[in-house]
Amino acid sequence: ERERRRDKERNRDKEREIEFFLKAENIALKEILNVPQTPQAKFVTAKIVGTTMSPFTSSAIVQAGENENIKVNDIIKGTKGLIGRITEVGNHYSTVMLINDHNSRIPVITGDSRNRGILAKQEDSLKIIYLQENHNVQVGEMILTSGDGKIFPRGIPVATVTRVKDKEAFVEILDDLNKIDFVVVASNAQ
């Protein structure tokens, strides 16, 4: 029994030594290659305390504000993907423009066909507009933020394509905006 414990302890010591060596090697290689460090994501979990869903506006109030370092244009994520961005900040509360608001415009890219466009609500539909004439967007494709415009970082899931017509692709948001109680407010610093 003692011998088995000593062996386990020796193995742990060897593993720690290898881990230390690999971390040191990784740091040295990054310095040689001049690889920039990945910034740490800054986020706050906030409760939605009110929503407004009408034909003209879609917004929410979250219980987080200046006291939690929330800023205008910070990104709001639900459980599955992007749901909006901060448009006004108070001490303890902030206003969110949801992605299905008529004034919301989000640069996006399709996951498989890599077509770029703008996600916008027109009439009663959420769609990708300004697609190239010869686009090849397919029903079922995941829609992600493209990183264009410098508000939304590249690669955040947003919606899926439900129908394609000419130079437009109709989409459905990943999260059900009526069923979200808590969101993640992430800094948009890129």
Side-chain angles (χ1 to χ4, degrees), residues 44-60:
V44 172
T45 301
K47 182 176 184 169
I48 293 180
V49 294
T51 58
T52 301
M53 302 278 195
S54 76
F56 306 106
T57 186
S58 293
S59 63

Side-chain angles (χ1 to χ4, degrees), residues 133-183:
E133 199 167 306
N134 59 349
H135 73 82
N136 56 345
V137 175
Q138 299 294 313
V139 170
E141 271 194 84
M142 178 70 71
I143 305 304
L144 310 163
T145 54
S146 67
D148 299 335
K150 298 184 181 176
I151 291 178
F152 301 100
R154 182 182 183 96
I156 301 172
V158 181
T160 53
V161 176
T162 57
R163 187 171 57 128
V164 178
K165 180 182 173 189
D166 301 324
K167 291 171 82 175
E168 302 173 326
F170 294 80
V171 302
E172 185 175 305
I173 302 170
L174 297 176
D175 283 290
D176 183 342
L177 300 178
N178 293 310
K179 295 182 179 178
I180 296 177
D181 293 320
F182 291 91
V183 294

Side-chain angles (χ1 to χ4, degrees), residues 42-97:
K42 297 175 187 167
F43 69 92
V44 172
T45 301
K47 182 176 184 169
I48 293 180
V49 294
T51 58
T52 301
M53 302 278 195
S54 76
F56 306 106
T57 186
S58 293
S59 63
I61 304 294
V62 294
Q63 195 172 5
E66 286 180 4
N67 292 350
E68 291 77 26
N69 293 319
I70 305 300
K71 308 247 184 295
V72 170
N73 288 332
D74 280 355
I75 299 155
I76 307 298
K77 297 178 190 175
T79 56
K80 298 177 183 173
L82 182 73
I83 63 168
R85 67 180 174 88
I86 297 289
T87 55
E88 294 178 42
V89 180
N91 288 334
H92 301 286
Y93 298 92
S94 298
T95 303
V96 177
M97 178 192 298

